[in-house]
Amino acid sequence: MPFLTFAFYVASAAAYAAHFARRDRRSGQLATALLVAATVAHTFLIGMARMQAGYMPVVGTTAAISFFVWLLALAYLYTEITTEERAMGAFITPLLALLQLIPALDAGAPGARPAVLESPLFAVHVSSVLFAYASFALACMIGVTYVLLFKEIKAKHLGFFYARLPSLQVLDKMNMRAVRIGWTFLTIGVVIGAVWALTADVKASSDPRAQAMSVLDPKIFVALVSWALYSFQLLARRAMRWGARRSAWLSAIGFVVVLLNFLPVGYFLTKSHNF
Amino acid sequence: MHLLLLGVSHRTAPVELRERVDFARRGVAAAHEALAARPGLAETVVLSTCNRSEVYVACARPEETAAELARFMAAFHEVPDAELEPHVFRLVDGEVASHLFRVAAGLDSLVVGEPQILGQVKEAYAAATAGRRTGPLLNRLFHASFTVGKRVRSQTGLGEGAVSVSYAAVSLARKIFGDLSGLNVLILGAGEMAKLTAIHLQAQNVRKVVVASRTLQSAELLASRIGGEAIEWSAVDAGLAGSAIVITATGATTPVLTRDRIRAAMRRRGDHPLFVIDIALPRDVEPGAGELDQVFLYNIDDLRAIVHENLARRAAELERAEAIVSQEVAQYEQWLRSRGAVPTVVALRRRFEDIRLAELERLEGKLSGLPPEAKERVDEITHLIVEKLLLTPTEQLKAAHDEKAVVTYSDVLNRLFGLGAADTGRRCEAREDGDKDEDPGSSGGGSAS
């Protein structure tokens, strides 16, 4: 099942790429159908893990990645259906396929949950942060396409992207919406995480990870950096009258920081979040 | 039956003559009525656009009918025969299919790939069917042409990209702003090009068009012609801050909009994108203004380059479009030829069936002792044998490559089985409509249990 899910993501990425190149309706419908299939298989996968473990299967970076991919796929499908715009799929689905490779290769059954995570706040904290990351991923891809299209129009060379992407205005709106949603959920996730870390249960825990919960822990620190970055983006747009192009760049760069935090920091550097 | 086409198009006649033979002047319905009164025209469709006036006909004798049609064209449009004749082109059978398919695909249009023509072909066909002027040949022909039009549009890039300067400007504006409704347009100068582009933009439901010119009178004149609003030249800076699209077309010799002036306007408008179309020569906008962050500056040469590129891209798609046309023409011709074999096929089947029934009748006495189910089975088996025997000859006849082969096969079959030519001819007439239902060979073996 993990491999089937991964295979569906790969197939949908290929179909979205083909649709982006050829722009015919049939390949577009096939791409959407494959992505829906991947999401359904993935939902099943996560549901099974949930049943097996008895809690939200998001303990550990690998499980979190799988959950993140699932959320991103859902968020993208929602965007595609509401905007009737498939072009972005060619940028999102390769990311989905690439990230899903990790859980596909390392799909160990969920073990027992560490005692310190046995809190109702656990699910809320993790899922809101992951949902924020999914929104930022979407914003990043939208930002990249904005910059590509912007460059073509500025350079007066109307080619590949001009024929395939929606207008700059639409891309900008989609970008800002994704960033606002992401920022809101990241704020919720961080605040809940902080409140939870300060509760007596965690403070009293002998778990070394609970002891490492501090602003200086790489994972928490980089998360706060990305929160500051997105806060600045929203502020710059509103108060400093930064244009759409700069917002697009910030979205593209912001997700690099998020991804950095998610993968290398999550796997190798953090001492507080290595569950 | 043959296909025949007589017509006048932008390739064969000047616009003065095309105007005079435009069927729309007296109405296509009137043309159909007049055509119905003429002899020899089994089916007709009249296609009339500003670039072509064509009559598609199915007839038995193309030579005579062509002369009849030429007389009709001259009489109906009241143009002397001698004047019209050199500009009329005449096509038959496969050529007609090829021509109509190319027309429907936009390959024969003045601007290759323009999309309206397919709709016009559909309207022409609808008008003919409404007057009950079409039959199997033209029905099939026109439906095939719709398929060609759709395939060319969806499978090639023939209709893509703006091919006029004004439309290129509009399509750029749409790529920058998406929906143009709610946007203001500022026009500097009162030239013809400015007017044309403004009219294209207005078709996109922009909120307001504001015109400024050196004199308020000329601004007011253009504004009244395009339903806009005139402002004083001194109010241009305010107009710049309040508009998303600016078209400049003044006769000024030095740039009217300098980089600094636009930069100041951008500050006032909170860095919202500004699309500046400079169609003046010499240019009205300092080129450096295009480097400002949210300013998109295009001059007339840039727009022309886009049009040029789009035309080149369309030309590159021509080959693929022509391939689709040839494919569909081959299919239609194949069908047309298979129709030539129909009378022989029908006669052959009739002959076999007659023999079968006669033999059954002859054996009636011997079979009378059998129970009813067994008798039914005998009937069924003999029927099946006949169907099986006829299957290959029927397929071969219908798949014959050319007219000559069809004639040869038919001739041989007529002689070998003594079918009789008169008989086959009569049946052909009877089968003109709905030959699908009676298609010989396609229903064979259906009763096998």
Side-chain angles (χ1 to χ4, degrees):
Chain A
M1 199 72 188
F3 188 75
L4 181 74
T5 309
F6 169 67
F8 269 132
Y9 280 122
V10 171
S12 79
Y16 273 105
H19 174 64
F20 196 68
R22 286 170 28 196
R23 284 176 294 162
D24 58 324
R25 249 182 72 221
R26 207 171 293 170
S27 65
Q29 286 164 341
L30 176 71
T32 307
L34 282 169
L35 185 57
V36 169
T39 320
V40 169
H42 204 163
T43 309
F44 190 69
L45 202 64
I46 288 172
M48 289 279 283
R50 168 82 179 76
M51 301 259 282
Q52 239 176 330
Y55 55 86
M56 274 264 280
V58 285
V59 175
T61 305
T62 307
I65 289 171
S66 176
F67 200 72
F68 164 80
V69 168
W70 181 68
L71 284 174
L72 180 54
L74 286 177
Y76 167 73
L77 277 175
Y78 172 77
T79 323
E80 181 185 302
I81 290 161
T82 49
T83 58
E84 291 181 15
E85 195 49 69
R86 277 203 182 91
M88 224 61 65
F91 295 81
I92 296 286
T93 47
L95 180 71
L96 294 176
L98 207 66
L99 286 175
Q100 191 61 22
L101 182 63
I102 299 171
L105 292 176
D106 170 32
R113 175 160 55 161
V116 71
L117 296 184
E118 280 172 15
S119 157
L121 294 177
F122 163 70
V124 186
H125 167 68
V126 178
S127 47
S128 32
V129 170
L130 288 181
F131 187 69
Y133 288 179
S135 298
F136 292 144
L138 215 53
C140 166
M141 294 306 168
I142 295 165
V144 168
T145 54
Y146 181 97
V147 171
L148 290 170
L149 178 59
F150 184 92
K151 287 204 161 151
E152 272 195 359
I153 297 181
K154 267 282 194 189
K156 299 170 186 180
H157 192 82
L158 313 179
F160 194 71
F161 297 108
Y162 186 85
R164 288 168 175 79
L165 293 175
S167 68
L168 289 175
Q169 173 80 8
V170 166
L171 288 173
D172 181 42
K173 267 191 190 156
M174 285 165 77
N175 175 28
M176 292 318 289
R177 191 173 67 171
V179 169
R180 267 195 298 275
I181 293 172
W183 184 86
T184 310
F185 277 90
L186 185 61
T187 309
I188 294 171
V190 166
V191 168
I192 287 179
V195 168
W196 183 23
L198 293 174
T199 54
D201 286 356
V202 177
K203 292 217 149 192
S205 169
S206 60
D207 196 313
R209 291 169 293 203
Q211 301 302 322
M213 292 291 169
S214 108
V215 176
L216 289 177
D217 179 76
K219 180 107 181 174
I220 298 175
F221 182 74
V222 180
L224 290 175
V225 168
S226 53
W227 183 85
L229 199 73
Y230 286 110
S231 305
F232 171 74
Q233 180 181 1
L234 292 174
L235 190 77
R237 191 60 188 268
R238 188 157 295 192
M240 292 158 65
R241 294 196 158 175
W242 272 29
R245 187 181 60 95
R246 285 176 179 167
S247 295
W249 270 111
L250 283 176
S251 287
I253 295 164
F255 186 65
V256 173
V257 177
V258 167
L259 210 57
L260 209 69
N261 203 18
F262 205 18
L263 299 180
V265 174
Y267 271 112
F268 308 116
L269 297 176
T270 179
K271 290 192 167 54
S272 65
H273 278 70
N274 53 344
F275 292 101
Chain B
M1 274 296 193
H2 294 272
L3 286 175
L4 173 70
L5 162 60
L6 237 70
V8 169
S9 83
H10 64 96
R11 291 187 194 281
T12 64
V15 65
E16 298 78 34
L17 185 75
R18 292 206 308 271
E19 274 168 7
R20 289 167 67 195
V21 298
D22 186 355
F23 283 102
R25 285 190 316 135
R26 284 181 58 189
V28 172
H32 276 301
E33 235 167 77
L35 280 166
R38 300 254 169 181
L41 307 170
E43 306 172 28
T44 47
V45 172
V46 174
L47 176 61
S48 182
T49 74
C50 52
N51 284 325
R52 64 186 74 250
S53 292
E54 298 172 346
V55 183
Y56 293 79
V57 169
C59 60
R61 294 178 197 83
E63 282 297 324
E64 290 164 33
T65 310
E68 181 69 33
L69 261 186
R71 282 195 293 277
F72 158 78
M73 290 270 257
F76 187 78
H77 297 300
E78 293 161 348
V79 178
D81 222 355
E83 199 182 325
L84 189 61
E85 206 261 318
H87 299 287
V88 172
F89 63 95
R90 198 181 105 183
L91 304 171
V92 289
D93 292 338
E95 299 166 353
V96 179
S98 177
H99 176 81
L100 178 64
F101 293 177
R102 294 188 77 251
V103 167
L107 288 168
D108 199 53
S109 298
L110 204 56
V111 178
V112 171
E114 60 103 2
Q116 283 97 335
I117 185 68
L118 183 59
Q120 290 166 332
V121 171
K122 283 182 179 169
E123 275 167 31
Y125 174 69
T129 47
R132 294 175 182 278
R133 293 298 303 151
T134 61
L137 254 68
L138 290 188
N139 282 341
R140 181 115 180 179
L141 181 72
F142 275 82
H143 281 290
S145 80
F146 306 155
T147 309
V148 174
K150 270 186 232 150
R151 277 188 66 192
V152 166
R153 195 179 295 178
S154 65
Q155 294 173 12
T156 75
L158 199 67
E160 273 173 18
V163 287
S164 76
V165 166
S166 324
Y167 194 71
V170 172
S171 97
L172 265 166
R174 288 173 57 93
K175 213 51 171 188
I176 296 168
F177 300 109
D179 188 9
L180 300 188
S181 62
L183 297 182
N184 292 338
V185 179
L186 173 66
I187 297 178
L188 301 184
E192 191 60 24
M193 273 301 277
K195 185 183 123 195
L196 212 64
T197 311
I199 289 171
H200 267 90
L201 284 168
Q202 259 174 342
Q204 303 286 323
N205 292 324
V206 295
R207 190 168 69 187
K208 195 167 72 178
V209 178
V210 178
V211 185
S213 188
R214 285 288 179 194
T215 64
L216 191 59
Q217 284 106 313
S218 58
E220 272 168 350
L221 185 70
L222 178 60
S224 69
R225 276 161 71 196
I226 60 174
E229 183 186 304
I231 57 168
E232 294 273 3
W233 188 256
S234 57
V236 163
D237 279 320
L240 213 50
S243 308
I245 302 170
V246 179
I247 304 167
T248 65
T250 75
T253 47
T254 52
V256 177
L257 296 179
T258 59
R259 185 189 157 106
D260 289 340
R261 199 172 182 187
I262 292 183
R263 201 214 306 261
M266 287 307 285
R267 253 184 240 127
R268 286 176 67 181
R269 56 208 316 282
D271 244 3
H272 286 301
L274 180 70
F275 181 29
V276 185
I277 308 158
D278 183 1
I279 49 182
L281 273 176
R283 286 178 288 180
D284 274 341
V285 186
E286 238 175 36
E291 290 157 18
L292 296 170
D293 187 15
Q294 289 289 319
V295 176
F296 301 91
L297 171 62
Y298 276 71
N299 64 38
I300 186 79
D301 282 351
D302 300 329
L303 293 174
R304 281 204 187 117
I306 291 169
V307 167
H308 197 75
E309 219 170 280
N310 287 341
L311 283 172
R313 209 171 298 147
R314 284 190 180 194
E317 293 292 315
L318 275 182
E319 214 170 298
R320 290 172 64 197
E322 294 283 6
I324 291 174
V325 168
S326 324
Q327 216 179 338
E328 296 283 342
V329 168
Q331 251 182 44
Y332 184 79
E333 282 187 314
Q334 169 74 43
W335 176 79
L336 207 58
R337 273 195 302 273
S338 74
R339 282 181 53 86
V342 164
T344 311
V345 171
V346 172
L348 191 64
R349 288 173 62 83
R350 184 52 167 261
R351 182 91 181 124
F352 274 49
E353 183 65 10
D354 285 349
I355 292 170
R356 186 180 78 92
L357 292 175
E359 284 308 294
L360 281 179
E361 206 175 322
R362 200 168 61 79
L363 295 171
E364 182 69 49
K366 286 186 184 166
L367 296 174
S368 59
L370 294 173
E373 300 101 78
K375 264 203 223 168
E376 258 175 45
R377 199 39 63 87
V378 169
D379 187 66
E380 219 175 277
I381 289 169
T382 51
H383 179 76
L384 249 157
I385 291 171
V386 167
E387 288 291 345
K388 282 270 150 70
L389 282 171
L390 282 171
L391 191 66
T392 316
T394 305
E395 278 173 359
Q396 291 292 335
L397 258 174
K398 294 182 103 186
H401 294 298
D402 52 56
E403 200 112 2
K404 238 170 114 183
V406 170
V407 171
T408 314
Y409 280 169
S410 304
D411 201 36
V412 168
L413 285 170
N414 281 340
R415 281 175 196 220
L416 287 180
F417 292 100
L419 300 177
D423 190 37
T424 61
R426 184 173 56 75
R427 287 199 196 287
C428 169
E429 291 305 316
R431 289 176 46 83
E432 262 327 313
D433 297 308
D435 56 29
K436 258 219 164 99
D437 318 354
E438 302 173 49
D439 213 353
S442 64
S443 61
S447 58
S449 55

